[in-house]
Amino acid sequence: MQLWEVFVRARAGLHHQHVGSLHAVDAEMALENARDVFTRRGEAASIWVVPSAQIVASDPDDAGELFEPAMDKVYRHPTFYEVPDGVANL
Amino acid sequence: MSPTSDPAAPDIRVVADASFIASHRLTEWVSSAPTMEEDVAIANIALDLLGQARGLFGVLGDEDQLAYFRDASDWHNPVICELPNGDFGHTMLRQLFLDVWLSQVWPALADSDDETVRGVAEKAIKENAYHLRHSSAWVVRLGDGTDESHQRMLAALDELWPHSEAFASDAWYAAISQLLTDATLPPPPPRTRFDGERGNDAQHPWLPELLDHMQSLARAHPGATW
Amino acid sequence: MDLADGFDARVAAEDKVEPKDWMPEAYRKTLVRQISQHAHSEIIGMQPEGNWLTRAPSLRRKAILLAKVQDEAGHGLYLYAAAETLGTSRDEMVDQLLAGTAKYSSIFNYPTPTWADIGAIGWLVDGAAIMNQVPLCRCSYGPYARAMKRICKEESFHQRQGFDILVTLCRGTAEQKAMAQDALDRWWWPSLMMFGPNDDASPNSAQSMKWRIKRFSNDDLRQRFVDATVPQAHFLGLQIPDDDLRYDETTGHWQFGEIDWDEFRRVLSGHGPMNAERLAHRRRAHDDGEWVIAGAEAHAAKRARRTTAA
């Protein structure tokens, strides 16, 4: 028995979202279990299942070096720039 | 060819009762399945089959009258459906036999002159495809699993095979032999039709006890609304 | 600021805690205990209703009840999964349940002798559960909060179908109405006990509230439940089995009588009418399932070997 993470795309156009995890012995069982457990109310157009051991996650202890530097680089945001009057399509 | 076993001309009374009784036996598993995920899966199949039965009951009369106020001798399910549940492997193998049969029956009913029957059949075809995935995967896993699971599947096959002729047609036999082979279970030779019991006019050895329990509350208050 | 103070500040600021974040050991342990108890309750809770699944008196009721019990298995699953993110495996938690060392909601240790009990469970037990669960959707631990949101979405159908059963019974024959009253007589007090001991007898509550694992006090939630439910009983035309029940004009609340805490303690400690049977049922399911899981695992291993060999 392995632990699997389940991702569901509600409908075309949206991302797959993580909805939880379940136990299964193989990918086919994981997919069917995911379908039975997470999509009974018409919540899915697509399912991904991934063995939990295959997920690579960032370490919360590294949050400082991974995520904080981005906070002060405001020039990545379009609103940082003033668009001169009279200029369109920018 | 008996009406039960000719998938090209299915008797909807047989299909309705088969689905209903099969659903009931599966319902007995809820809260006792090998895993929680399987509890959810079995409930899903039981719900689908119940829905299919209700769809066809609606064509035949009043669904609650048919379910709760018929005696065993008035039911048309193949006897295999009413056998008491064995172990999980027995249940999956019985389900496989039913699922393969229904996979041949529903497309025929999708051609029905009756619009309601057509509607039930179109929905049932998709549900049945999913059930067949589930039961065939389990039969293969358990047939080709451990020594113990293999032995248990052989025992289930031994018990269920004599009751399978209600479903038996060339197409059914071909599909089942292939699936049993995939599961490393030797396909028994086909039963000659009309050996032993015939589904829709046979005696119902196990139905009285099933109905006695299932109908008990409804019959205790005839005419009541629930 | 040390780790513990930082943690307390985050929680106080309504930040969510996620699985790999640092957390005090006591927070982790309390959560594992709380979430797993909740999970066990869902799974055990399938039994009192499952008892009537095979005898449901109409096909519509049968389908509805089957869908409800199916949801409960799903809820158990979501909760075990949430608890697993804290480092305990599902097997460990299940083993504790089967060994009798884990607790689950003692409400499920009562029997369901009549169909009306199914209505009462939906109306009262699920109603009480919803009172408890809605605040937990905002609890500090991310996976638990998210599981609770899913559960709450599914749970309101559970309460409504129970109430619907009772509405039909109360409008039915004299026997049906008597069945409904009898069920209320037996389920009312145990439902009130679901909210736990009075606040002054609840030593762990303060820490749980500080860590936002618990958002309202036991007595608070119990009062809300009574206030919501009494008018519903009146609508049904049923009598609540409490001679001390009366409406207080000044507070706007329904005052109610004293709970029998001896009964509560007895049932909680394993001496309720169905305790032994509930666990025996789970053990049987577990034992009967072992060969199935072993078979499935063996097959998966064989396929993996065949794939790499090919």
Side-chain angles (χ1 to χ4, degrees):
Chain A
M1 237 3 128
Q2 272 180 291
L3 191 61
W4 296 72
E5 302 300 325
V6 181
F7 303 81
V8 164
R9 191 208 303 282
R11 56 180 190 280
L14 300 176
H15 283 294
H16 283 79
Q17 287 232 22
H18 183 239
V19 290
S21 53
L22 46 77
H23 289 212
V25 296
D26 56 39
E28 180 185 9
M29 192 192 275
L31 211 53
E32 285 175 26
N33 287 343
R35 180 271 200 189
D36 288 338
V37 173
F38 290 106
T39 74
R40 287 199 300 286
R41 286 162 165 88
E43 307 109 302
S46 164
I47 301 173
W48 287 349
V49 291
V50 182
S52 308
Q54 295 282 313
I55 304 263
V56 180
S58 59
D59 190 329
D61 290 340
D62 297 339
E65 71 204 48
L66 284 173
F67 305 121
E68 275 167 39
M71 301 295 255
D72 65 354
K73 293 187 174 51
V74 297
Y75 40 79
R76 287 205 175 94
H77 294 272
T79 49
F80 180 77
Y81 298 90
E82 211 181 282
V83 179
D85 287 339
V87 180
N89 297 313
L90 207 56
Chain B
M1 215 185 266
S2 90
T4 314
S5 55
D6 178 5
D11 180 342
I12 66 167
R13 295 173 311 161
V14 174
V15 180
D17 285 351
S19 302
F20 183 83
I21 297 296
S23 169
H24 187 83
R25 284 302 189 206
L26 284 177
T27 301
E28 291 171 357
W29 270 101
V30 171
S31 86
S32 297
T35 62
M36 272 174 271
E37 285 87 351
E38 205 48 43
D39 266 322
V40 176
I42 287 180
N44 170 65
I45 299 168
L47 268 167
D48 284 348
L49 288 170
L50 178 57
Q52 290 162 18
R54 292 178 73 191
L56 292 181
F57 279 166
V59 174
L60 295 165
D62 176 274
E63 66 177 14
D64 288 334
Q65 272 301 308
L66 290 166
Y68 295 99
F69 294 95
R70 267 190 297 164
D71 291 335
S73 52
D74 294 327
W75 285 71
H76 308 286
N77 59 283
V79 171
I80 192 174
C81 297
E82 74 195 56
L83 292 174
N85 285 323
D87 65 21
F88 184 75
H90 181 279
T91 294
M92 285 299 110
L93 187 60
R94 188 230 312 257
Q95 193 59 40
L96 180 65
F97 287 0
L98 178 73
D99 290 337
V100 170
W101 180 65
L102 288 173
S103 75
Q104 293 157 356
V105 158
W106 284 120
L109 289 176
D111 267 340
S112 168
D113 293 329
D114 184 307
E115 190 187 333
T116 310
V117 173
R118 274 203 309 277
V120 176
E122 275 154 20
K123 184 158 173 272
I125 287 170
K126 292 198 183 105
E127 292 171 348
N128 168 261
Y130 189 73
H131 303 169
L132 188 49
R133 283 177 67 154
H134 179 267
S135 54
S136 55
W138 271 112
V139 169
V140 169
R141 276 184 203 118
L142 298 177
D144 189 20
T146 57
D147 286 338
E148 181 181 1
S149 71
H150 185 77
Q151 290 307 318
R152 283 176 178 260
M153 292 311 285
L154 286 174
L157 185 54
D158 254 354
E159 200 205 311
L160 290 168
W161 193 253
H163 298 285
S164 66
E165 67 184 36
F167 300 144
S169 65
D170 294 337
W172 184 90
Y173 184 75
I176 286 291
S177 314
Q178 183 56 61
L179 287 163
L180 289 176
T181 305
D182 292 343
T184 71
L185 299 166
R191 296 282 300 235
T192 313
R193 293 182 200 104
F194 306 121
D195 282 0
E197 303 145 14
R198 287 157 44 180
N200 58 344
D201 46 319
Q203 304 247 331
H204 289 282
W206 291 279
L207 205 51
E209 192 185 332
L210 184 159
L211 293 178
D212 204 52
H213 173 88
M214 188 200 80
Q215 298 175 336
S216 55
L217 179 60
R219 288 198 185 217
H221 303 260
T225 305
W226 300 97
Chain C
M1 203 194 257
D2 75 359
L3 284 170
D5 289 339
F7 180 83
D8 286 349
R10 274 180 67 194
V11 167
E14 300 284 0
D15 256 0
K16 293 289 180 229
V17 179
E18 295 294 346
K20 292 181 69 181
D21 292 346
W22 184 89
M23 59 186 80
E25 235 354 82
Y27 177 86
R28 184 190 302 275
K29 277 173 109 141
T30 302
L31 267 175
V32 170
R33 191 177 38 84
Q34 184 171 323
I35 301 174
S36 61
Q37 277 180 24
H38 194 166
H40 298 324
S41 300
E42 294 283 352
I43 299 307
I44 297 287
M46 293 166 70
Q47 290 183 41
E49 292 168 313
N51 178 31
W52 280 95
L53 207 38
T54 46
R55 291 179 287 176
S58 79
L59 298 191
R60 185 172 157 264
R61 291 292 177 205
K62 190 174 190 176
I64 288 171
L65 189 56
L66 190 43
K68 176 183 200 262
V69 177
Q70 183 188 42
D71 274 354
E72 281 154 14
H75 293 179
L77 242 154
Y78 306 152
L79 291 163
Y80 283 122
E84 279 182 301
T85 64
L86 289 160
T88 315
S89 73
R90 190 199 286 186
D91 281 345
E92 266 178 84
M93 292 184 273
V94 168
D95 285 346
Q96 285 163 4
L97 175 66
L98 300 183
T101 55
K103 291 203 167 72
Y104 55 89
S105 183
S106 46
I107 192 77
F108 300 117
N109 290 322
Y110 290 89
T112 46
T114 78
W115 171 250
D117 290 49
I118 303 305
I121 287 178
W123 173 42
L124 300 175
V125 175
D126 288 323
I130 290 170
M131 279 292 161
N132 260 321
Q133 285 166 185
V134 168
L136 288 174
C137 294
R138 287 161 41 227
C139 94
S140 55
Y141 189 57
Y144 192 23
R146 290 190 288 274
M148 291 316 307
K149 287 200 191 95
R150 255 200 109 83
I151 288 173
C152 285
K153 266 166 79 169
E154 299 177 356
E155 199 84 41
S156 53
F157 129 64
H158 296 188
Q159 190 186 23
R160 286 188 189 188
Q161 65 81 50
F163 192 71
D164 192 52
I165 288 176
L166 293 170
V167 168
T168 311
L169 292 177
C170 290
R171 289 178 180 161
T173 66
E175 286 97 2
Q176 287 177 305
K177 181 139 191 195
M179 205 194 282
Q181 180 62 60
D182 172 68
L184 174 55
D185 289 344
R186 285 180 290 98
W187 286 93
W188 175 254
W189 289 104
S191 300
L192 295 196
M193 293 180 208
M194 280 176 75
F195 296 95
N198 290 131
D199 294 346
D200 52 20
S202 213
N204 296 322
S205 285
Q207 183 58 267
S208 289
M209 307 246 287
K210 184 163 158 251
W211 277 334
R212 307 224 192 283
I213 304 173
K214 187 183 172 64
R215 312 246 12 168
F216 299 107
S217 78
N218 294 352
D219 288 336
D220 216 331
L221 290 172
R222 189 173 6 246
Q223 185 63 61
R224 287 189 203 195
F225 175 73
V226 172
D227 290 339
T229 312
V230 170
Q232 292 168 347
H234 292 160
F235 175 85
L236 290 171
L238 297 176
Q239 276 280 85
I240 293 201
D242 182 355
D243 292 333
D244 296 318
L245 187 69
R246 65 174 199 84
Y247 187 70
D248 185 331
E249 293 286 349
T250 20
T251 60
H253 293 303
W254 284 92
Q255 287 192 5
F256 51 96
E258 201 41 46
I259 290 174
D260 179 353
W261 293 112
D262 284 335
E263 182 186 332
F264 174 74
R265 272 185 291 271
R266 234 183 19 250
V267 175
L268 192 64
S269 67
H271 297 102
M274 297 298 286
N275 289 56
E277 171 53 31
R278 300 286 179 239
L279 282 186
H281 182 113
R282 278 321 303 157
R283 284 187 198 119
R284 262 193 317 268
H286 185 259
D287 294 344
D288 290 349
E290 278 184 338
W291 73 269
V292 177
I293 296 173
E297 286 176 338
H299 180 76
K302 284 186 195 179
R303 270 174 58 183
R305 279 198 299 275
R306 286 172 203 152
T307 316
T308 47

